[in-house]
Amino acid sequence: MSEQAIEKRLEQVEREVEQIKSQLNSGSGTGWISRMRGQFRDDPVFDEIVRLGKEIRDAELPPDSGDEHQD
């Protein structure tokens, strides 16, 4: 590949990186989290997933820890 071709490709990559950075910086700062907030509200399946996750985490605690997770 010629030096000119490499320079051209590098310039293209730099433009694309700047475009990506601009898109990332134009958000509200919370990005995907704010878009997801409330999406599973009142969803019984999601509530069950959360309950089972807590059950698994609690089961992994050492028996003598006495430190149970709070909701």
Side-chain angles (χ1 to χ4, degrees):
M1 185 177 293
S2 72
E3 189 173 324
Q4 283 182 326
I6 293 171
E7 288 288 331
K8 186 176 179 179
R9 289 185 70 182
L10 180 57
E11 288 174 8
Q12 178 65 30
V13 168
E14 288 173 341
R15 280 193 300 274
E16 291 176 5
V17 167
E18 284 303 315
Q19 187 178 31
I20 292 168
K21 287 167 80 175
S22 174
Q23 290 172 353
L24 289 173
N25 291 330
S26 68
S28 65
T30 55
W32 67 271
I33 294 173
S34 64
R35 291 190 304 271
M36 294 297 293
R37 184 175 292 130
Q39 200 160 1
F40 297 104
R41 183 178 298 131
D42 300 324
D43 183 337
V45 174
F46 184 74
D47 292 342
E48 180 69 1
I49 291 168
V50 171
R51 187 190 69 74
L52 291 171
K54 182 182 182 321
E55 188 176 301
I56 290 168
R57 288 189 307 277
D58 289 346
E60 292 175 347
L61 290 174
D64 61 342
S65 73
D67 182 28
E68 294 193 22
H69 293 227
Q70 299 294 319
D71 286 336

